Amino acid sequence: MTWFSPSHLLLQRSPPPFRPGASPHRHSLIALLLRHQDKRRQLLQIHAQLVAHQVFDQSPAPWRALLKAYSHGPFPQEALHLFRHARRHLADDTFAFAFALKACAGLGWPRAGAQLHGLVIKKGFEFHAYVHTSLVNAYVVCGRLEEARRAFDEMPMKNAVTWNAMITGFTGWGEVEYARILFERMPCKNVVSWTGLIDGYTRACLYAEAVTLFCHMMAGGISPSEITVLAVIPAVFNLGGILMGEMLHCYCEKKGFVSDVRIGNSLIDLYAKIGSVQNSVKVFNEMLNRRNLVSWTSVISGFAMHGMSIEAVELFAEMRRAGIRPNRVTFLSVINACSHGGLVEQGLAFFKSMVYEYNINPEVKHFGCIIDMLGRAGRLSEAEQIIEGLPVEVNAVVWRTLLGCCSKYGEVEMGQRAIKKILNLERESGGDFAVLSNMLNEIGWFSDAEQARKLVDERKTVKVPGLALVGEIS
């Protein structure tokens, strides 16, 4: 369809009169349209049929159906183009404006939204709750938060959808404090309101607040939905509360949420991160035919996290026998498991399989894992050669990984080369000099160690607490 420019919204129209009568094909075509609104080919075919049967002048229903399909589907730009034509046929009712505003939100076009705002006022729809809610949502989604506040405050009657649009929208932009103020003012809170704020606290890394709000929600008699559980799970594992995790799991079983594969995968990840890999495996085993790639990868990652290298490798093999194709995250998890378990040859074999068998291009993280694996095994020369020959630009983390291994095995010269590479990439951290100084002290090069310590002060670098220690014992 023709590319849409926001300024076209204000074009004048000279609408023809409606013609009476109804096409016998109209209702069946609209029904088809609603069934296939997310599929471009079918959508355009049905649109063409509607045009061919000349039903557009007979009723606003086809306009509404098409506008809804385009605005909710993957083609919001075409919804705005269609809205321009709908206005010429007197089909610019409240439904048309709401769908056009939905399209603006999908496109992230605040200018078009503002122009529609002007047309809404001109048509006298500014106090229509459905249209005004769509307007508020468009402003929020487009990041025009001040305009959203003004539009929200102007509304004489606000429904639950309006309040929730503001709460979830503002939390999405990190404005959690304002969202909390709205939440407290909301006259009739529902599960969407609670979930939006819980999710906002979790995204803002305010984990204790998220869990506390979840508990208040339960105490207030509001039953969490699957989405609420998915929003609070990251807060639970960041707080490390195994008891809270088990209680959440029990609630999910009671409500039947565990049948949702997203919930199952989140519980697997939750248990692994709070130190209960046995429960991760239990949830995984109970999922049976509902398992997907994320389920397998989460357990493999959990095994790697807890040093269970053999179990990770065996589960990876079982996954392949089950016909599940691994992705780059799965390979990263199993190579990481090999690194921590000293399974160097198997780790290298997995890396080659990823590249040559599955045609997955490795990222810096994969190379960093290989470097760590070789370094832990004392194969430092191979690790350095791999870094030097990498086809991608490596970051300071990779060189810092090698530096930590040099400290472990007393490879001073290689450690000095790693330090130089790190300094070329970043100059703020003094932890690397501390690692080098400790390494030099261990082999008796005390004056050089002292010089390395002085460099920290001369460069005014910052020593992050624990960073050198991590580098030395990793």
Side-chain angles (χ1 to χ4, degrees), residues 410-468:
E411 287 283 350
V412 178
E413 291 183 5
M414 189 180 294
Q416 290 174 325
R417 291 197 294 272
I419 284 280
K420 289 179 182 178
K421 295 290 185 179
I422 294 168
L423 289 176
N424 288 333
L425 296 168
E426 58 180 51
R427 292 179 173 271
E428 292 79 13
S429 175
D432 305 307
F433 290 103
V435 173
L436 180 62
S437 175
N438 292 339
M439 190 176 4
L440 293 167
N441 269 323
E442 286 176 8
I443 63 172
W445 294 14
F446 301 115
S447 60
D448 291 319
E450 182 63 27
Q451 185 63 29
R453 288 283 179 181
K454 285 181 180 178
L455 282 173
V456 177
D457 297 327
E458 289 174 6
R459 292 176 178 268
K460 296 182 181 180
T461 55
V462 178
K463 166 67 176 70
V464 180
L467 183 60

Side-chain angles (χ1 to χ4, degrees), residues 150-317:
R150 281 201 297 268
F152 177 77
D153 292 336
E154 288 170 1
M155 291 184 70
M157 296 292 293
K158 305 173 180 69
N159 56 27
V161 178
T162 316
W163 286 95
N164 290 335
M166 287 289 286
I167 291 169
T168 57
F170 272 77
T171 57
W173 289 101
E175 295 285 341
V176 186
E177 290 183 10
Y178 180 71
R180 183 60 184 260
I181 292 170
L182 290 173
F183 178 79
E184 297 297 343
R185 284 171 48 197
M186 187 174 178
C188 188
K189 304 172 183 67
N190 57 22
V191 64
V192 178
S193 325
W194 288 88
T195 302
L197 193 57
I198 289 168
D199 183 58
Y201 277 131
T202 302
R203 291 175 184 272
C205 301
L206 300 170
Y207 306 120
E209 288 85 346
V211 171
T212 300
L213 194 65
F214 181 81
C215 294
H216 287 167
M217 175 184 180
M218 297 276 284
I222 305 293
S223 298
S225 66
E226 294 96 324
I227 305 301
T228 319
V229 173
L230 291 170
V232 80
I233 280 179
V236 173
F237 70 63
N238 274 287
L239 292 175
I242 189 165
L243 180 60
M244 182 66 185
E246 289 174 344
M247 289 172 62
L248 194 59
H249 187 183
C250 289
Y251 177 82
C252 291
E253 288 184 333
K254 180 181 176 182
K255 291 291 186 179
F257 291 168
V258 287
S259 61
D260 188 324
V261 68
R262 299 170 301 170
I263 297 288
N265 291 340
S266 295
L267 288 171
I268 290 171
D269 195 45
L270 166 66
Y271 278 127
K273 287 178 176 175
I274 60 178
S276 182
V277 71
Q278 296 85 355
N279 278 331
S280 284
V281 175
K282 181 184 175 184
V283 174
F284 176 77
N285 289 335
E286 290 172 351
M287 290 177 71
L288 296 175
N289 296 329
R290 299 193 308 277
R291 300 169 187 162
N292 59 14
L293 176 60
V294 177
S295 316
W296 291 88
T297 302
S298 296
V299 180
I300 293 169
S301 177
F303 283 147
M305 199 183 304
H306 292 277
M308 302 170 69
S309 307
I310 301 297
E311 291 85 348
V313 171
E314 288 175 350
L315 189 64
F316 185 85

